[in-house]
């Protein structure tokens, strides 16, 4: 894992059994969705974003990412009758905990409400993306969906996280890194005064909404 991912992993271990690292969102469509096409658009966008195909494995006690062979996500559709049912569905999806040893790090469901309202609900684990990444995913998937409907779909090329990992490894083995390291060691040669942070977990609610 990269340093940012290790920070997320440590949070996951500290609040084990919670959904603290779930990033959730939903998109409501004003027109009737073609769920077969939106499923294709979601799968295409997942397939072409390498982090969304990650599985987590433990190698000699350390967590590592394995970029899994892509498999289609089957979009489960819920037919709802009331706004209350929609609210409960969103809460259910956002509260679903990922099994990091078994699950892919992203999931989607679709819904209809009285045949007048429909949409998709997504949940991502923070190990594979952040809130900005979720907004990019939604924009890309909707664009693919619209192009598929119009019959003018073009293949897309998205930046890969693996390229960032490679650049990060090159930096860690560079002279610039050594210079930066010496700078910060000098800056913190004397330990700064500690600030008080409560270690009382009851003061913090790790629930992801």
């Amino acid at each position: 894992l990269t340093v940012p991912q290790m920070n997320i992993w440590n949070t996951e271990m500290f609040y084990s059994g919670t959904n603290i690292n779930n990033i959730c969102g939903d998109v409501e469509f004003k027109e009737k969705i073609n769920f077969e096409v939106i499923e294709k658009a979601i799968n295409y966008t997942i397939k072409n974003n390498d982090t969304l195909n990650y599985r987590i494995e433990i190698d000699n006690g350390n967590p590592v990412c394995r970029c899994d062979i892509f498999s289609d996500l089957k979009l489960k559709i819920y037919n709802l009758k009331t706004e209350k049912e929609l609210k409960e569905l969103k809460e259910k999806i956002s509260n679903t905990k990922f099994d990091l040893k078994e699950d892919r790090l992203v999931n989607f469901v679709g819904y209809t409400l009285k045949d007048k309202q429909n949409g998709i609900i997504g949940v991502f684990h923070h190990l594979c993306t952040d809130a900005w990444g979720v907004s990019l995913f939604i924009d890309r998937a909707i664009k693919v969906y619209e192009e598929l409907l119009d019959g003018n779909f073009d293949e897309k090329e998205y930046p890969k996280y693996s390229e960032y990992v490679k650049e990060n490894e090159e930096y860690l083995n560079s002279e610039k890194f050594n210079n930066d390291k010496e700078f910060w060691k000098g800056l913190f040669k004397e330990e700064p005064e500690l600030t008080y942070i409560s270690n009382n977990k009851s003061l913090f609610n790790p629930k992801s909404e």
Side-chain angles (χ1 to χ4, degrees):
L1 303 185
T2 60
V3 171
Q5 287 176 318
M6 277 303 303
N7 290 336
I8 296 165
W9 175 263
N10 290 333
T11 303
E12 183 79 18
M13 295 300 99
F14 190 76
Y15 291 102
S16 180
T18 74
N19 70 337
I20 188 171
N21 282 310
N22 284 15
I23 304 177
C24 314
D26 63 278
V27 180
E28 180 182 330
F29 289 75
K30 296 184 181 299
E31 68 279 355
K32 188 174 180 61
I33 297 179
N34 184 323
F35 283 110
E36 181 179 351
V37 176
I38 197 70
E39 180 182 275
K40 290 180 180 178
I42 289 172
N43 277 311
Y44 179 86
T45 313
I46 291 175
K47 183 178 181 180
N48 289 279
N49 285 267
D50 52 353
T51 60
L52 302 183
N53 296 289
Y54 280 172
R55 298 292 195 279
I56 303 300
E57 295 181 349
I58 304 300
D59 181 18
N60 293 322
N62 297 313
V64 296
C65 282
R66 175 169 61 89
C67 194
D68 216 30
I69 297 174
F70 172 77
S71 59
D72 281 338
L73 181 151
K74 300 301 181 183
L75 193 65
K76 185 175 181 179
I77 311 300
Y78 291 83
N79 297 310
L80 310 175
K81 296 180 180 179
T82 65
E83 291 287 348
K84 180 181 178 182
E85 287 181 344
L86 177 56
K87 181 180 179 181
E88 290 173 348
L89 177 61
K90 291 179 180 180
E91 290 177 352
K92 175 185 176 182
I93 299 303
S94 66
N95 288 329
T96 299
K97 303 173 184 65
F98 286 94
D99 182 342
L100 295 183
K101 295 181 180 179
E102 299 293 337
D103 297 339
R104 71 166 82 218
L105 302 182
V106 58
N107 190 33
F108 280 92
V109 301
Y111 70 86
T112 62
L113 179 59
K114 295 182 178 179
D115 295 327
K116 296 180 180 179
Q117 182 179 340
N118 51 181
I120 54 174
I121 305 170
V123 57
F124 302 73
H125 195 281
H126 201 2
L127 279 170
C128 72
T129 192
D130 55 16
W132 173 243
V134 170
S135 68
L136 288 176
F137 178 93
I138 292 172
D139 286 345
R140 290 167 178 170
I142 297 302
K143 182 174 179 59
V144 171
Y145 172 68
E146 292 173 342
E147 290 181 358
L148 287 171
L149 285 178
D150 293 339
N152 61 351
F153 172 69
D154 290 323
E155 295 282 335
K156 307 291 188 299
E157 185 69 29
Y158 303 130
K160 297 184 181 300
Y161 192 72
S162 56
E163 295 173 355
Y164 163 76
V165 173
K166 182 179 178 181
E167 291 174 358
N168 187 61
E169 289 177 347
E170 291 174 352
Y171 166 68
L172 293 177
N173 292 293
S174 69
E175 186 64 27
K176 184 177 189 309
F177 170 76
N178 292 329
N179 293 336
D180 292 344
K181 182 178 180 180
E182 291 304 314
F183 169 80
W184 290 107
K185 284 173 65 177
L187 187 65
F188 291 106
K189 187 175 183 179
E190 296 182 5
E191 292 186 8
E193 181 180 351
L194 295 179
T195 57
Y196 173 76
I197 300 177
S198 173
N199 62 359
N200 186 349
K201 286 187 181 181
S202 65
L203 297 177
F204 175 68
N205 179 8
K207 182 179 179 182
S208 178
E209 300 289 352

